[in-house]
Amino acid sequence: MTSPPDDDTAPQRRGYRKGAERRAQILDQVIRMVAEQGVDASSLRSVAESLGITHAALRHYFPSRDELLLAVYHEHEVREQGAPDRVKSAVGDMRDSAVRNRAVPGLVQLYTTLSADAVQEGHPATREFVRERFTGLRAELAESIASDQAAGRIRPDLDAVDLASLCIAASDGLQVQWLLDPDAVDGERVLRLLERLVPPVD
Amino acid sequence: MTSPPDDDTAPQRRGYRKGAERRAQILDQVIRMVAEQGVDASSLRSVAESLGITHAALRHYFPSRDELLLAVYHEHEVREQGAPDRVKSAVGDMRDSAVRNRAVPGLVQLYTTLSADAVQEGHPATREFVRERFTGLRAELAESIASDQAAGRIRPDLDAVDLASLCIAASDGLQVQWLLDPDAVDGERVLRLLERLVPPVD
């Protein structure tokens, strides 16, 4: 059942829609800037300049740099969710991310920045976001690991949550090593090694 | 053979020694401050204040905050080298670090800060330090893994350098998860899980 738009609220709704479109436009641009030039390109000043809007207009949508960075990372993750090769297996998932991330070192750098901010004082929203992200990701991967264990694809004697923590940690740590030394460290190959360790022993 | 001090250079030497002592004193104090209160306690201003010296005097020894943080981390690592339980096995080593690090979350936080700075523009000395640290650590662990493989303690079909990268990455990534959620993530236990995966299959 669809109802006709309520004339009383239509202008306000158009305002909301316009605001949402503007916000999406800004995120689009910042994702592109960060992917190409890294986190340093994402100061509120340079973002406003590249969009041809005022600093004040940008702050209307994103009151602080932390909030902008979190929104950018969240939007990037939402888009990643639609990647066709997602959720095959716990380790395989991390490995697929490593492959996709090769194309967007700036967004990997952004993730590293958010993690470091999260463990410092003075970034409560970032801490909350990263903490919740780990909690959710651990639960999601642990569930997928438990299915793999039930199906005989992963050793049944491994704690599913601990193995989930290990996969996430390995993936995060490898990204830093790869960013600093892409010729020496191939995250995808190292995660393939981890993948070879977890099946049951015949 | 010991020679008597050269009278011509003695005053200068005393100057060097006094400078080195002062520098060590500063590092001592900052390691304590960071271990107790985290990286935020380590602004040049608050360090100078707590030592009762001027900002200028502090900058004589450590011209920038990056240099101070690097020196603090390096000094902490040098002290760790003397830990009695060091270098038993590649994964075991990481696991022992995880146990010791529980007591010094501020220094773990410092390590996370240095890693994040390293992958950004604008911190060339930090990038160089962290990059070299990874290169050295990978080589050292790979050697220890190769010995374990020769002795039949680790599966011979695993690439020693890739496994070294994996151990370091897991350890680094787990520290972040642990800092954010110490009740949910026990780095030492997760690394024990990794340790159980690497021995040869009978």
Side-chain angles (χ1 to χ4, degrees), chain B residues 144-170:
Chain B
S144 143
I145 287 165
S147 308
D148 279 345
Q149 288 177 314
R153 287 187 294 265
I154 289 185
R155 281 168 55 161
D157 61 324
L158 305 175
D159 183 88
V161 177
D162 280 353
L163 182 54
S165 296
L166 177 65
C167 295
I168 299 165

Side-chain angles (χ1 to χ4, degrees), chain B residues 3-199:
Chain B
S3 45
D6 180 346
D7 276 341
D8 285 349
T9 60
Q12 201 183 3
R13 270 206 207 160
R14 272 200 297 275
Y16 283 145
R17 203 175 51 227
K18 212 177 146 219
E21 276 166 15
R22 193 78 178 116
R23 195 175 178 279
Q25 237 172 29
I26 295 172
L27 284 182
D28 239 30
Q29 168 72 3
V30 184
I31 287 178
R32 236 187 339 258
M33 288 171 72
V34 168
E36 283 165 17
Q37 304 158 57
V39 182
D40 283 328
S42 68
S43 74
L44 290 184
R45 183 171 309 274
S46 55
V47 168
E49 264 173 29
S50 80
L51 284 159
I53 62 177
T54 64
H55 194 227
L58 180 59
R59 288 189 63 140
H60 170 70
Y61 296 100
F62 303 100
S64 70
R65 183 165 182 260
D66 274 11
E67 279 167 274
L68 177 65
L69 290 184
L70 285 176
V72 163
Y73 190 76
H74 180 68
E75 180 66 23
H76 165 66
E77 276 210 319
V78 168
R79 292 179 189 185
E80 279 285 284
Q81 301 275 342
D85 49 3
R86 216 172 171 279
V87 188
K88 286 187 306 211
S89 74
V91 195
D93 249 33
M94 298 284 112
R95 203 161 51 68
D96 290 336
S97 292
V99 174
R100 284 194 304 271
N101 283 339
R102 280 184 193 150
V104 287
L107 288 163
V108 178
Q109 195 200 46
L110 168 60
Y111 176 75
T112 306
T113 302
L114 291 178
S115 300
D117 285 351
V119 304
Q120 312 276 340
E121 300 302 313
H123 302 270
T126 307
R127 170 179 284 257
E128 192 57 23
F129 176 87
V130 176
R131 197 175 179 278
E132 288 303 305
R133 183 183 168 277
F134 278 132
T135 303
L137 202 49
R138 273 194 300 265
E140 193 187 313
L141 286 189
E143 203 178 310
S144 143
I145 287 165
S147 308
D148 279 345
Q149 288 177 314
R153 287 187 294 265
I154 289 185
R155 281 168 55 161
D157 61 324
L158 305 175
D159 183 88
V161 177
D162 280 353
L163 182 54
S165 296
L166 177 65
C167 295
I168 299 165
S171 169
D172 289 355
L174 286 166
Q175 288 188 342
V176 177
Q177 291 184 52
W178 167 71
L179 279 175
L180 288 173
D181 215 338
D183 294 331
V185 179
D186 179 338
E188 195 249 340
R189 200 181 62 212
V190 176
L191 290 170
R192 221 185 302 137
L193 185 151
L194 177 58
E195 221 173 355
R196 279 168 53 206
L197 297 176
V198 296

Side-chain angles (χ1 to χ4, degrees), chain A residues 37 39-40 65 109-110 112-113 115-122 127 130-131 134-135 138 155 157-159 161-166 168-177 179-182 184-186 189-191 193-194 196-198 201-202, chain B residues 37 39-40 65 109-110 112-113 115-122 127 130-131 134-135 138 155 157-159 161-166 168-177 179-182 184-186 189-191 193-194 196-198 201-202:
Chain A
Q37 304 157 58
V39 182
D40 283 328
R65 183 165 182 260
Q109 195 200 46
L110 167 60
T112 306
T113 301
S115 301
D117 286 350
V119 304
Q120 313 276 340
E121 299 304 312
R127 170 180 285 257
V130 176
R131 197 175 179 278
F134 279 133
T135 303
R138 272 195 301 266
R155 282 169 54 162
D157 61 324
L158 305 175
D159 182 89
V161 177
D162 280 354
L163 182 55
S165 296
L166 178 65
I168 300 165
S171 169
D172 290 354
L174 286 166
Q175 288 188 343
V176 177
Q177 291 184 53
L179 280 175
L180 289 172
D181 215 339
V185 178
D186 179 338
R189 199 180 63 211
V190 175
L191 290 171
L193 184 151
L194 177 59
R196 279 168 55 206
L197 296 177
V198 297
V201 177
D202 292 322
Chain B
Q37 304 158 57
V39 182
D40 283 328
R65 183 165 182 260
Q109 195 200 46
L110 168 60
T112 306
T113 302
S115 300
D117 285 351
V119 304
Q120 312 276 340
E121 300 302 313
R127 170 179 284 257
V130 176
R131 197 175 179 278
F134 278 132
T135 303
R138 273 194 300 265
R155 281 168 55 161
D157 61 324
L158 305 175
D159 183 88
V161 177
D162 280 353
L163 182 54
S165 296
L166 177 65
I168 299 165
S171 169
D172 289 355
L174 286 166
Q175 288 188 342
V176 177
Q177 291 184 52
L179 279 175
L180 288 173
D181 215 338
V185 179
D186 179 338
R189 200 181 62 212
V190 176
L191 290 170
L193 185 151
L194 177 58
R196 279 168 53 206
L197 297 176
V198 296
V201 178
D202 292 322

